[in-house]
Amino acid sequence: MIHELKRYEAAPGQGPALRERFARLTMPLFQRHGITLLHCWEPEGEPDTFLYLVAFADAAASEAAWKAFGADPDWKAGKAASEANGPLLARQTTTVLRPSAFSPGAR
């Protein structure tokens, strides 16, 4: 099992619109493509930033799911519609997390 911690930084002032798109469009598409969403966070004092954690069986599953998600026609159409007045996302980072040998539950 691997986890990916994603950090999204919205374009200035676009935090609410980015979170709305994520809740309305992205989350249902995650389910469609086998992306297990574990949790979402909004860091205090950073209104244009949010983080979320997803899980995959392995790196191959992650790669396949993200490829399918990016090619999904509903994603392409919804993203384009939400960005009619400009991009919502300014920056994104991904940190792949693997359990350490001493992590509780590690095998």
XYZ file of all heavy atoms in Angstrom:
826
model
N 0.841 -1.177 0.000
C 0.000 0.000 0.000
C 0.885 1.237 0.000
O 1.866 1.288 0.723
C -0.905 -0.014 1.235
C -1.780 1.201 1.431
S -3.200 1.366 0.349
C -4.124 -0.100 0.673
N 0.541 2.178 -0.856
C 1.217 3.472 -0.832
C 0.159 4.564 -0.673
O -1.010 4.377 -1.019
C 2.076 3.738 -2.087
C 1.214 3.800 -3.350
C 3.193 2.726 -2.216
C 1.949 4.317 -4.568
N 0.599 5.679 -0.134
C -0.260 6.841 0.026
C 0.388 8.007 -0.693
O 1.617 8.068 -0.803
C -0.424 7.180 1.509
C -1.122 6.118 2.283
N -0.463 5.034 2.813
C -2.426 5.960 2.593
C -1.335 4.263 3.429
N -2.533 4.796 3.310
N -0.443 8.898 -1.181
C 0.049 10.120 -1.805
C -0.602 11.301 -1.107
O -1.828 11.375 -0.996
C -0.294 10.145 -3.297
C 0.387 9.053 -4.079
C -0.021 9.004 -5.542
O -0.771 9.885 -6.010
O 0.406 8.063 -6.233
N 0.236 12.203 -0.626
C -0.232 13.433 -0.016
C -0.141 14.527 -1.069
O 0.947 14.808 -1.585
C 0.614 13.787 1.203
C 0.227 15.077 1.915
C -1.188 14.982 2.502
C 1.250 15.405 2.999
N -1.279 15.093 -1.412
C -1.344 16.136 -2.437
C -1.587 17.475 -1.763
O -2.436 17.598 -0.881
C -2.493 15.869 -3.410
C -2.447 14.513 -4.084
C -1.587 14.547 -5.293
C -1.755 13.276 -6.118
N -1.019 13.359 -7.360
N -0.865 18.484 -2.205
C -1.044 19.857 -1.720
C -1.419 20.715 -2.916
O -0.679 20.764 -3.901
C 0.237 20.376 -1.083
C 0.116 21.803 -0.572
C 1.449 22.290 0.006
N 1.337 23.652 0.465
C 1.038 24.011 1.704
N 0.846 23.098 2.629
N 0.942 25.291 2.033
N -2.577 21.341 -2.834
C -3.057 22.230 -3.891
C -3.010 23.658 -3.387
O -3.549 23.959 -2.318
C -4.504 21.905 -4.268
C -4.706 20.707 -5.151
C -3.678 19.847 -5.492
C -5.962 20.431 -5.646
C -3.898 18.751 -6.301
C -6.188 19.330 -6.462
C -5.155 18.496 -6.785
O -5.379 17.412 -7.582
N -2.392 24.525 -4.156
C -2.387 25.952 -3.875
C -3.137 26.621 -5.008
O -2.731 26.550 -6.167
C -0.956 26.456 -3.753
C -0.221 25.828 -2.572
C 1.226 26.248 -2.470
O 1.561 27.373 -2.918
O 2.020 25.450 -1.957
N -4.251 27.244 -4.660
C -5.120 27.868 -5.649
C -4.504 29.152 -6.184
O -3.669 29.788 -5.528
C -6.478 28.185 -5.024
N -4.938 29.522 -7.371
C -4.603 30.843 -7.891
C -5.189 31.855 -6.899
O -6.174 31.558 -6.215
C -5.197 31.023 -9.288
N -4.599 33.043 -6.800
C -5.070 34.014 -5.808
C -6.587 34.215 -5.856
O -7.172 34.452 -6.905
C -4.332 35.302 -6.199
C -3.061 34.805 -6.818
C -3.461 33.557 -7.578
N -7.203 34.048 -4.678
C -8.634 34.238 -4.546
C -9.498 33.101 -5.058
O -10.724 33.154 -4.974
N -8.882 32.036 -5.583
C -9.645 30.935 -6.188
C -9.810 29.724 -5.265
O -10.320 28.691 -5.691
C -8.977 30.501 -7.499
C -8.990 31.554 -8.580
C -10.411 31.883 -9.026
O -11.310 31.058 -8.981
N -10.612 33.118 -9.446
N -9.405 29.858 -4.012
C -9.518 28.745 -3.076
C -10.932 28.187 -2.975
O -11.127 26.964 -3.094
N -11.949 29.028 -2.762
C -13.308 28.493 -2.677
C -13.749 27.769 -3.955
O -14.357 26.697 -3.879
C -14.171 29.730 -2.410
C -13.239 30.688 -1.735
C -11.907 30.452 -2.406
N -13.436 28.319 -5.102
C -13.824 27.686 -6.372
C -13.084 26.367 -6.578
O -13.668 25.388 -7.053
C -13.562 28.627 -7.544
N -11.820 26.304 -6.190
C -11.049 25.063 -6.328
C -11.606 23.979 -5.406
O -11.779 22.831 -5.821
C -9.573 25.324 -6.027
C -8.634 24.138 -6.182
C -8.638 23.613 -7.621
C -7.225 24.516 -5.757
N -11.915 24.344 -4.157
C -12.489 23.364 -3.231
C -13.865 22.900 -3.699
O -14.194 21.721 -3.602
C -12.554 23.938 -1.815
C -11.182 24.023 -1.155
C -11.255 24.381 0.309
N -11.907 25.647 0.586
C -11.306 26.836 0.529
N -10.030 26.916 0.201
N -11.972 27.933 0.805
N -14.658 23.801 -4.249
C -15.977 23.438 -4.772
C -15.843 22.449 -5.926
O -16.563 21.453 -5.992
C -16.730 24.688 -5.224
C -17.984 24.418 -6.022
C -19.080 23.683 -5.266
O -19.102 23.743 -4.025
O -19.923 23.037 -5.922
N -14.917 22.717 -6.843
C -14.708 21.792 -7.960
C -14.249 20.436 -7.452
O -14.689 19.389 -7.929
C -13.685 22.361 -8.946
C -13.450 21.419 -10.141
C -12.516 21.986 -11.164
N -11.140 21.940 -10.708
C -10.131 22.544 -11.342
N -10.358 23.239 -12.448
N -8.912 22.473 -10.873
N -13.379 20.438 -6.466
C -12.888 19.183 -5.910
C -14.042 18.377 -5.318
O -14.179 17.174 -5.591
C -11.821 19.460 -4.843
C -11.102 18.233 -4.382
C -10.022 17.731 -5.079
C -11.520 17.568 -3.241
C -9.363 16.590 -4.664
C -10.866 16.423 -2.804
C -9.789 15.936 -3.515
N -14.886 19.027 -4.534
C -16.005 18.335 -3.887
C -17.057 17.876 -4.898
O -17.574 16.758 -4.810
C -16.650 19.251 -2.846
N -17.372 18.707 -5.864
C -18.461 18.429 -6.796
C -18.045 17.511 -7.935
O -18.786 16.621 -8.323
C -18.996 19.750 -7.357
C -20.153 19.618 -8.323
C -20.544 20.944 -8.947
N -19.440 21.653 -9.576
C -18.897 21.350 -10.747
N -19.337 20.317 -11.424
N -17.903 22.069 -11.238
N -16.856 17.728 -8.479
C -16.421 17.018 -9.681
C -15.349 15.973 -9.404
O -15.480 14.811 -9.800
C -15.902 18.032 -10.711
C -15.330 17.466 -12.009
C -16.416 16.755 -12.811
C -14.698 18.583 -12.831
N -14.300 16.376 -8.722
C -13.134 15.506 -8.562
C -13.429 14.274 -7.716
O -13.077 13.150 -8.104
C -11.962 16.299 -7.964
O -11.717 17.452 -8.786
C -10.707 15.459 -7.884
N -14.059 14.471 -6.574
C -14.292 13.335 -5.671
C -15.106 12.213 -6.322
O -14.714 11.045 -6.210
C -14.915 13.816 -4.363
C -13.917 14.584 -3.507
S -14.619 15.321 -2.018
C -15.173 13.884 -1.135
N -16.207 12.509 -7.016
C -16.923 11.410 -7.681
C -16.076 10.708 -8.750
O -16.175 9.491 -8.929
C -18.138 12.093 -8.301
C -18.343 13.328 -7.487
C -16.966 13.758 -7.083
N -15.228 11.468 -9.437
C -14.368 10.858 -10.444
C -13.282 9.995 -9.805
O -12.865 8.990 -10.385
C -13.764 11.925 -11.350
C -14.768 12.633 -12.260
C -14.095 13.762 -13.030
C -15.441 11.665 -13.206
N -12.822 10.378 -8.636
C -11.884 9.519 -7.912
C -12.511 8.145 -7.701
O -11.863 7.123 -7.937
C -11.513 10.125 -6.560
C -10.448 11.176 -6.590
C -9.904 11.655 -7.767
C -9.970 11.704 -5.407
C -8.908 12.629 -7.775
C -8.978 12.665 -5.390
C -8.444 13.126 -6.570
N -13.751 8.111 -7.252
C -14.426 6.827 -7.027
C -14.497 6.027 -8.321
O -14.269 4.828 -8.331
C -15.828 7.055 -6.466
C -15.816 7.545 -5.047
C -17.212 7.733 -4.498
O -18.165 7.988 -5.216
N -17.341 7.604 -3.181
N -14.828 6.698 -9.406
C -14.944 6.028 -10.703
C -13.635 5.369 -11.109
O -13.633 4.314 -11.741
C -15.355 7.060 -11.765
C -15.522 6.460 -13.153
C -15.820 7.507 -14.198
N -17.069 8.204 -13.941
C -17.491 9.258 -14.628
N -16.760 9.737 -15.629
N -18.633 9.835 -14.330
N -12.518 5.995 -10.763
C -11.213 5.530 -11.242
C -10.385 4.811 -10.181
O -9.186 4.581 -10.375
C -10.442 6.696 -11.854
C -11.115 7.246 -13.058
N -11.207 6.540 -14.241
C -11.790 8.402 -13.256
C -11.883 7.256 -15.127
N -12.258 8.383 -14.555
N -11.010 4.426 -9.072
C -10.316 3.622 -8.070
C -9.302 4.386 -7.248
O -8.357 3.790 -6.719
N -9.500 5.684 -7.105
C -8.619 6.512 -6.276
C -9.290 6.619 -4.909
O -10.352 7.224 -4.783
C -8.386 7.892 -6.903
C -7.723 7.732 -8.276
C -7.549 8.775 -5.985
C -7.658 9.002 -9.104
N -8.685 6.015 -3.895
C -9.267 5.994 -2.563
C -8.873 7.256 -1.810
O -7.713 7.424 -1.429
C -8.806 4.745 -1.786
O -9.169 3.586 -2.538
C -9.437 4.689 -0.405
N -9.837 8.132 -1.608
C -9.618 9.380 -0.871
C -9.790 9.094 0.615
O -10.851 8.638 1.041
C -10.610 10.437 -1.336
C -10.523 11.799 -0.660
C -9.176 12.468 -0.947
C -11.670 12.687 -1.134
N -8.732 9.341 1.391
C -8.761 9.034 2.816
C -9.129 10.237 3.675
O -9.833 10.098 4.665
C -7.410 8.483 3.270
C -6.973 7.185 2.592
C -5.569 6.816 3.033
C -7.962 6.073 2.900
N -8.622 11.411 3.315
C -8.880 12.591 4.141
C -8.505 13.860 3.384
O -7.642 13.826 2.504
C -8.071 12.503 5.438
C -8.691 13.249 6.574
N -9.737 12.747 7.302
C -8.432 14.465 7.074
C -10.087 13.629 8.231
N -9.303 14.679 8.107
N -9.149 14.954 3.760
C -8.846 16.284 3.210
C -8.612 17.240 4.372
O -9.246 17.110 5.418
C -10.010 16.805 2.373
S -10.450 15.777 0.976
N -7.727 18.203 4.168
C -7.423 19.204 5.192
C -7.369 20.593 4.574
O -6.989 20.748 3.417
C -6.065 18.945 5.833
C -5.919 17.668 6.563
C -6.198 17.429 7.880
C -5.432 16.434 6.046
N -5.914 16.122 8.189
C -5.445 15.485 7.086
C -4.991 16.022 4.777
C -5.027 14.174 6.923
C -4.584 14.717 4.611
C -4.597 13.810 5.672
N -7.686 21.581 5.399
C -7.523 22.991 5.049
C -6.605 23.600 6.105
O -7.016 23.756 7.254
C -8.873 23.693 5.019
C -9.799 23.145 3.944
C -11.166 23.798 3.942
O -11.389 24.779 4.686
O -12.026 23.320 3.185
N -5.361 23.905 5.751
C -4.420 24.440 6.743
C -4.882 25.795 7.290
O -5.320 26.658 6.522
C -3.114 24.606 5.963
C -3.270 23.786 4.735
C -4.735 23.738 4.445
N -4.784 25.944 8.593
C -5.144 27.217 9.213
C -4.291 28.339 8.645
O -3.090 28.179 8.455
C -4.939 27.146 10.729
C -6.015 26.378 11.441
C -5.907 26.494 12.944
O -5.621 27.600 13.437
O -6.091 25.467 13.598
N -4.928 29.454 8.359
C -4.220 30.636 7.878
C -3.824 30.585 6.417
O -3.119 31.459 5.940
N -4.254 29.545 5.699
C -3.932 29.415 4.280
C -5.230 29.170 3.504
O -5.514 28.049 3.082
C -2.957 28.257 4.049
C -1.612 28.435 4.729
C -0.666 27.291 4.429
O -0.481 26.956 3.237
O -0.114 26.722 5.391
N -6.027 30.222 3.279
C -7.348 30.030 2.670
C -7.325 29.526 1.226
O -8.339 29.013 0.754
C -7.980 31.425 2.758
C -6.824 32.360 2.826
C -5.752 31.620 3.573
N -6.216 29.651 0.555
C -6.135 29.209 -0.831
C -5.377 27.887 -0.974
O -4.904 27.546 -2.055
C -5.499 30.292 -1.711
C -6.423 31.477 -1.913
O -7.659 31.298 -1.811
O -5.927 32.581 -2.179
N -5.259 27.140 0.132
C -4.523 25.879 0.117
C -5.379 24.776 0.724
O -6.113 25.009 1.672
C -3.214 26.012 0.930
O -2.410 27.031 0.346
C -2.437 24.708 0.960
N -5.314 23.591 0.137
C -5.854 22.413 0.803
C -5.012 21.207 0.443
O -4.289 21.191 -0.541
C -7.360 22.219 0.559
C -7.745 21.631 -0.769
C -7.926 20.266 -0.918
C -7.983 22.443 -1.859
C -8.310 19.727 -2.129
C -8.372 21.920 -3.072
C -8.535 20.558 -3.210
N -5.090 20.216 1.306
C -4.324 18.983 1.151
C -5.283 17.808 1.210
O -6.336 17.889 1.846
C -3.301 18.830 2.283
C -2.230 19.904 2.368
C -2.636 20.960 3.365
C -0.919 19.297 2.757
N -4.881 16.722 0.557
C -5.659 15.496 0.673
C -4.737 14.296 0.545
O -3.644 14.383 0.003
C -6.812 15.448 -0.341
C -6.440 15.407 -1.799
C -6.300 14.192 -2.471
C -6.249 16.569 -2.523
C -6.004 14.143 -3.817
C -5.940 16.535 -3.874
C -5.822 15.324 -4.515
O -5.513 15.276 -5.857
N -5.219 13.180 1.092
C -4.451 11.948 1.127
C -5.228 10.862 0.398
O -6.417 10.656 0.669
C -4.220 11.532 2.584
C -3.342 10.308 2.826
C -1.894 10.603 2.433
C -3.411 9.914 4.301
N -4.558 10.206 -0.542
C -5.162 9.102 -1.284
C -4.305 7.850 -1.099
O -3.134 7.938 -0.744
C -5.332 9.424 -2.793
C -6.360 10.527 -2.998
C -4.009 9.802 -3.435
N -4.923 6.686 -1.366
C -4.223 5.408 -1.193
C -4.385 4.547 -2.433
O -5.421 4.593 -3.106
C -4.769 4.662 0.017
N -3.344 3.766 -2.703
C -3.325 2.821 -3.821
C -2.652 1.541 -3.366
O -1.802 1.557 -2.475
C -2.537 3.392 -5.007
C -3.106 4.658 -5.565
C -2.605 5.895 -5.161
C -4.145 4.631 -6.482
C -3.127 7.068 -5.677
C -4.672 5.801 -6.993
C -4.172 7.021 -6.591
N -2.974 0.448 -4.023
C -2.350 -0.832 -3.698
C -0.847 -0.786 -3.953
O -0.058 -1.339 -3.192
C -2.989 -1.960 -4.499
N -0.455 -0.119 -5.039
C 0.966 -0.043 -5.396
C 1.154 1.071 -6.419
O 0.192 1.731 -6.835
C 1.472 -1.383 -5.924
C 0.647 -1.935 -7.073
O 0.120 -1.149 -7.894
O 0.523 -3.172 -7.161
N 2.390 1.271 -6.839
C 2.709 2.352 -7.774
C 2.028 2.160 -9.126
O 1.595 3.133 -9.750
C 4.227 2.459 -7.946
N 1.910 0.924 -9.569
C 1.245 0.663 -10.852
C -0.226 1.064 -10.803
O -0.762 1.636 -11.752
C 1.392 -0.803 -11.243
N -0.879 0.771 -9.687
C -2.291 1.154 -9.527
C -2.436 2.666 -9.519
O -3.374 3.214 -10.113
C -2.858 0.553 -8.251
N -1.514 3.355 -8.875
C -1.538 4.815 -8.853
C -1.391 5.374 -10.262
O -2.176 6.231 -10.689
C -0.404 5.342 -7.965
O -0.257 6.739 -8.121
N -0.403 4.884 -10.970
C -0.152 5.376 -12.328
C -1.365 5.150 -13.235
O -1.777 6.051 -13.972
C 1.074 4.685 -12.913
C 1.471 5.224 -14.268
C 2.743 4.575 -14.809
O 3.574 4.105 -14.021
O 2.881 4.557 -16.052
N -1.949 3.977 -13.180
C -3.105 3.666 -14.022
C -4.308 4.531 -13.661
O -5.015 5.033 -14.547
C -3.466 2.191 -13.895
N -4.547 4.711 -12.359
C -5.705 5.502 -11.929
C -5.558 6.963 -12.333
O -6.512 7.575 -12.834
C -5.881 5.381 -10.415
N -4.384 7.550 -12.134
C -4.193 8.960 -12.501
C -4.283 9.149 -14.012
O -4.815 10.153 -14.487
C -2.865 9.489 -11.955
C -2.889 9.706 -10.480
C -2.053 9.144 -9.555
C -3.789 10.534 -9.726
N -2.378 9.570 -8.294
C -3.444 10.425 -8.372
C -4.857 11.354 -10.073
C -4.122 11.108 -7.355
C -5.545 12.037 -9.064
C -5.170 11.915 -7.731
N -3.780 8.180 -14.775
C -3.866 8.262 -16.232
C -5.334 8.239 -16.674
O -5.754 9.052 -17.505
C -3.099 7.109 -16.873
C -3.054 7.162 -18.376
C -2.194 6.036 -18.943
C -2.146 6.105 -20.455
N -1.337 5.019 -21.019
N -6.116 7.329 -16.108
C -7.533 7.237 -16.459
C -8.289 8.488 -16.028
O -9.136 9.004 -16.769
C -8.150 5.996 -15.814
N -7.974 8.990 -14.839
C -8.622 10.205 -14.351
C -8.355 11.373 -15.297
O -9.270 12.094 -15.699
C -8.125 10.540 -12.941
C -8.639 11.847 -12.416
C -9.879 11.927 -11.827
C -7.871 13.001 -12.511
C -10.368 13.134 -11.345
C -8.339 14.206 -12.038
C -9.589 14.273 -11.452
N -7.096 11.571 -15.676
C -6.725 12.682 -16.554
C -7.348 12.600 -17.931
O -7.579 13.626 -18.580
N -7.649 11.391 -18.397
C -8.240 11.201 -19.718
C -9.767 11.198 -19.688
O -10.400 11.207 -20.750
C -7.750 9.877 -20.312
N -10.357 11.202 -18.503
C -11.819 11.110 -18.375
C -12.486 12.324 -19.036
O -12.161 13.468 -18.710
C -12.193 11.055 -16.894
C -13.655 10.750 -16.680
O -14.506 11.550 -17.120
O -13.958 9.715 -16.064
N -13.423 12.110 -19.965
C -14.083 13.229 -20.633
C -14.876 14.119 -19.679
O -14.964 15.335 -19.893
C -15.002 12.580 -21.670
C -14.943 11.118 -21.448
C -13.840 10.814 -20.490
N -15.432 13.543 -18.611
C -16.153 14.369 -17.631
C -15.189 15.295 -16.894
O -15.526 16.442 -16.587
C -16.915 13.496 -16.636
C -18.092 12.776 -17.265
O -18.597 13.241 -18.315
O -18.504 11.742 -16.717
N -13.986 14.796 -16.594
C -12.969 15.637 -15.954
C -12.549 16.764 -16.896
O -12.496 17.924 -16.506
C -11.754 14.825 -15.528
C -10.587 15.695 -15.166
C -9.401 15.784 -15.824
C -10.524 16.638 -14.093
N -8.592 16.727 -15.220
C -9.266 17.265 -14.155
C -11.406 17.023 -13.096
C -8.867 18.247 -13.248
C -11.016 18.000 -12.184
C -9.756 18.596 -12.267
N -12.258 16.422 -18.131
C -11.816 17.434 -19.092
C -12.870 18.524 -19.271
O -12.550 19.718 -19.259
C -11.477 16.784 -20.434
C -10.222 15.946 -20.386
C -9.951 15.323 -21.740
C -8.676 14.522 -21.742
N -8.368 13.981 -23.059
N -14.131 18.128 -19.425
C -15.205 19.102 -19.628
C -15.440 19.940 -18.370
O -15.595 21.159 -18.438
C -16.491 18.393 -20.038
N -15.472 19.281 -17.213
C -15.709 20.000 -15.955
C -14.586 20.955 -15.613
O -14.825 22.069 -15.140
N -13.361 20.529 -15.853
C -12.207 21.401 -15.593
C -12.259 22.616 -16.505
O -12.079 23.748 -16.053
C -10.901 20.634 -15.797
C -9.650 21.449 -15.535
C -8.410 20.594 -15.706
C -7.141 21.319 -15.332
N -6.790 22.410 -16.247
N -12.518 22.387 -17.785
C -12.586 23.495 -18.736
C -13.687 24.487 -18.346
O -13.471 25.704 -18.366
C -12.816 22.970 -20.149
N -14.841 23.980 -17.970
C -15.954 24.854 -17.589
C -15.615 25.652 -16.334
O -15.931 26.851 -16.248
C -17.222 24.032 -17.366
N -14.952 25.023 -15.370
C -14.628 25.713 -14.123
C -13.529 26.754 -14.303
O -13.368 27.632 -13.452
C -14.212 24.705 -13.048
O -12.951 24.145 -13.335
N -12.787 26.652 -15.389
C -11.684 27.585 -15.625
C -11.982 28.558 -16.760
O -11.065 29.104 -17.369
C -10.404 26.797 -15.884
C -9.968 25.989 -14.667
C -8.648 25.292 -14.835
O -8.222 25.039 -15.982
O -8.024 24.996 -13.797
N -13.252 28.807 -17.006
C -13.641 29.744 -18.078
C -13.037 31.125 -17.862
O -12.724 31.826 -18.832
C -15.162 29.824 -18.171
N -12.857 31.525 -16.605
C -12.291 32.851 -16.300
C -10.840 32.777 -15.843
O -10.332 33.723 -15.260
C -13.142 33.541 -15.233
C -14.537 33.826 -15.729
O -14.722 34.260 -16.862
N -15.523 33.565 -14.896
N -10.191 31.646 -16.086
C -8.790 31.486 -15.704
C -8.591 30.269 -14.834
O -9.547 29.721 -14.279
N -7.349 29.826 -14.701
C -7.057 28.618 -13.930
C -7.369 28.785 -12.448
O -7.233 29.875 -11.888
C -5.570 28.385 -14.153
C -5.024 29.639 -14.708
C -6.157 30.413 -15.283
N -7.785 27.691 -11.836
C -8.057 27.686 -10.397
C -6.828 27.270 -9.598
O -6.649 27.690 -8.463
C -9.204 26.720 -10.075
C -10.543 26.985 -10.748
C -11.589 25.982 -10.268
C -11.008 28.405 -10.529
N -5.992 26.439 -10.178
C -4.841 25.877 -9.479
C -3.560 26.583 -9.906
O -3.251 26.659 -11.094
C -4.735 24.378 -9.795
C -3.676 23.582 -9.064
C -3.937 23.577 -7.562
C -3.630 22.163 -9.597
N -2.843 27.101 -8.916
C -1.560 27.752 -9.198
C -0.407 26.770 -9.097
O 0.540 26.820 -9.880
C -1.328 28.912 -8.234
N -0.505 25.843 -8.121
C 0.616 24.941 -7.857
C 0.096 23.684 -7.172
O -0.827 23.739 -6.372
C 1.610 25.665 -6.944
C 2.935 25.119 -6.777
C 3.902 26.088 -6.051
N 3.317 27.187 -5.271
C 3.073 28.427 -5.731
N 3.363 28.759 -6.957
N 2.553 29.356 -4.953
N 0.749 22.580 -7.498
C 0.397 21.295 -6.894
C 1.671 20.536 -6.592
O 2.603 20.531 -7.395
C -0.458 20.474 -7.855
C -0.688 19.057 -7.405
C -1.364 18.205 -8.472
O -2.088 18.700 -9.309
N -1.103 16.913 -8.434
N 1.713 19.896 -5.427
C 2.831 19.008 -5.114
C 2.269 17.661 -4.674
O 1.162 17.582 -4.144
C 3.734 19.571 -3.997
O 2.969 19.747 -2.810
C 4.372 20.883 -4.415
N 3.049 16.633 -4.900
C 2.685 15.278 -4.491
C 3.856 14.683 -3.729
O 5.000 14.728 -4.202
C 2.385 14.390 -5.714
O 1.301 14.956 -6.445
C 2.036 12.964 -5.290
N 3.563 14.122 -2.571
C 4.551 13.390 -1.798
C 4.063 11.955 -1.672
O 2.968 11.717 -1.151
C 4.733 14.014 -0.396
O 5.098 15.392 -0.533
C 5.798 13.272 0.400
N 4.851 11.010 -2.179
C 4.501 9.595 -2.068
C 5.020 9.109 -0.727
O 6.194 9.289 -0.398
C 5.102 8.772 -3.226
C 4.805 7.290 -3.044
C 4.566 9.274 -4.561
N 4.124 8.499 0.049
C 4.454 8.046 1.396
C 4.416 6.527 1.450
O 3.427 5.901 1.073
C 3.429 8.615 2.391
C 3.283 10.138 2.388
C 2.046 10.544 3.174
C 4.522 10.794 2.942
N 5.501 5.942 1.907
C 5.576 4.499 2.105
C 5.877 4.262 3.592
O 6.668 4.989 4.183
C 6.681 3.897 1.256
C 6.477 4.104 -0.236
C 7.531 3.362 -1.034
N 7.661 3.784 -2.410
C 6.759 3.684 -3.364
N 5.593 3.208 -3.081
N 6.983 4.080 -4.596
N 5.287 3.235 4.195
C 5.521 2.994 5.621
C 6.993 2.681 5.898
O 7.630 1.952 5.146
C 4.660 1.776 5.938
C 3.748 1.600 4.785
C 4.351 2.279 3.611
N 7.486 3.223 6.979
C 8.838 2.879 7.415
C 8.791 1.489 8.069
O 7.727 0.995 8.442
C 9.350 3.922 8.416
O 8.517 3.921 9.559
N 9.951 0.887 8.232
C 10.027 -0.454 8.812
C 9.504 -0.469 10.253
O 9.020 -1.480 10.734
C 11.468 -0.949 8.778
N 9.577 0.655 10.928
C 9.160 0.728 12.340
C 7.778 1.340 12.514
O 7.320 1.547 13.631
C 10.188 1.517 13.168
C 10.496 2.870 12.582
C 9.702 3.966 12.900
C 11.578 3.052 11.736
C 9.991 5.209 12.371
C 11.871 4.286 11.208
C 11.066 5.371 11.524
N 7.090 1.598 11.425
C 5.742 2.176 11.502
C 4.766 1.151 12.080
O 4.817 -0.028 11.715
C 5.283 2.588 10.100
O 3.979 3.107 10.153
N 3.886 1.569 12.990
C 2.870 0.628 13.475
C 2.084 0.044 12.298
O 1.664 0.764 11.407
C 1.977 1.502 14.357
C 2.852 2.639 14.780
C 3.763 2.885 13.604
N 1.952 -1.243 12.297
C 1.218 -1.907 11.215
C 2.071 -2.275 10.022
O 1.599 -2.930 9.108
N 3.336 -1.855 9.975
C 4.219 -2.211 8.861
C 4.530 -3.698 8.917
O 4.620 -4.293 9.979
C 5.508 -1.407 8.904
N 4.683 -4.285 7.760
C 4.979 -5.726 7.705
C 6.353 -5.935 7.165
O 6.880 -5.313 6.383
C 3.966 -6.436 6.824
C 2.587 -6.279 7.397
C 1.564 -6.972 6.504
N 0.269 -6.393 6.712
C -0.697 -6.992 7.380
N -0.507 -8.158 7.883
N -1.854 -6.432 7.538
